[in-house]
């Protein structure tokens, strides 16, 4: 009972954060036009930067990223687990959204704020996104459900860097140049999210093992 309550609170917390993030994206990039965002204004100072072309890659990036973020928590609910067809359909949408996003990220990275260091950090993030999501899909096709869950959770941890990065970069930007603040925020976001998933996995295994021992050795 306590576990289910924690699950509901976690899912609720994730959706609350996603909602705040979606509002931020709307205000920052869509309400007045992306060219008014401080980040984009800096890029426009470069004579080689094409705003029209950049938009063609950036809008799908934020749209598909938000879809992937929104699908993740729902896949953890009882409703999703009780409806395998729905779970598979949403899983396919999640994977396709990421695989398309992976194709647009390299171009966006070329003009990333912070220069080459940030570009490399985003490409590393992109490679991890591809690896973890592809492994999750492969394990699903092999019907290795336990391994599939582990890899998809890692994939979602990488997807969540979409949010974590924008939070972590704020304090670093206060005292570091963007050439340092941005790549540090990317790598730290990756490390924090993946470590959290691995910690939760180990904790859940310990709880499961403890329940099994308790059930085989009932108190009299």
């Amino acid at each position: 009972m306590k576990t289910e309550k924690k699950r509901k609170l976690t899912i609720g917390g994730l959706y609350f954060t996603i909602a705040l993030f979606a509002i931020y994206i709307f205000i920052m990039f869509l309400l007045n036009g992306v060219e008014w965002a401080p980040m984009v204004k800096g890029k426009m100072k470069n004579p080689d930067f094409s705003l029209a072309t950049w938009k063609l890659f950036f809008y799908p990036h934020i749209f598909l990223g938000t879809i992937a973020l929104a699908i993740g928590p729902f896949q953890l609910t009882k409703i999703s687990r009780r409806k395998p067809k729905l779970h598979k359909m949403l899983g396919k949408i999640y994977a396709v959204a990421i695989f398309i996003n992976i194709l647009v990220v390299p171009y966006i990275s070329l003009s990333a704020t912070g220069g080459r260091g940030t570009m490399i950090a985003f490409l590393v993030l992109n490679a991890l996104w591809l690896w973890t999501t592809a492994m999750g899909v492969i394990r699903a096709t092999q019907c290795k459900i336990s391994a599939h869950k582990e890899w998809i959770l890692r994939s979602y941890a990488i997807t969540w860097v979409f949010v974590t990065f924008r939070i972590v970069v704020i304090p670093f930007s206060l005292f570091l140049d963007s050439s340092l603040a941005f790549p540090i925020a990317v790598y730290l976001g990756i490390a924090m999210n993946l470590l959290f998933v691995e910690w939760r996995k180990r904790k859940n295994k310990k709880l499961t093992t403890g329940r099994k021992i308790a059930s085989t050795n009932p108190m009299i």
Side-chain angles (χ1 to χ4, degrees), residues 17-36:
T17 307
I18 292 167
L20 290 178
F21 180 71
I23 292 169
Y24 159 79
I25 291 292
F26 177 75
I27 294 172
M28 183 65 72
F29 299 111
L30 302 176
L31 185 62
N32 297 315
V34 72
E35 58 271 18
W36 293 100

Side-chain angles (χ1 to χ4, degrees), residues 61-139:
H61 171 59
I62 59 173
F63 178 69
L64 293 169
T66 304
I67 287 175
L69 278 172
I71 287 174
F74 182 77
Q75 294 292 72
L76 301 174
T77 64
K78 280 187 175 181
I79 298 172
S80 178
R81 285 177 290 168
R82 287 171 180 171
K83 297 182 178 181
K85 288 184 180 179
L86 177 63
H87 185 88
K88 286 181 181 179
M89 182 189 73
L90 290 175
K92 287 176 182 177
I93 294 172
Y94 172 84
V96 169
I98 289 174
F99 289 143
I100 294 174
N101 220 329
I102 285 166
L103 297 176
V104 305
V105 166
Y107 179 82
I108 297 172
S109 299
L110 291 174
S111 54
T113 304
R116 184 174 293 181
T118 308
M119 179 189 74
I120 293 170
F122 280 135
L123 291 177
V124 169
L125 175 65
N126 209 39
L128 289 171
W129 214 8
L130 173 60
W131 178 41
T132 53
T133 307
M135 288 300 295
V137 171
I138 290 168
R139 292 295 177 255

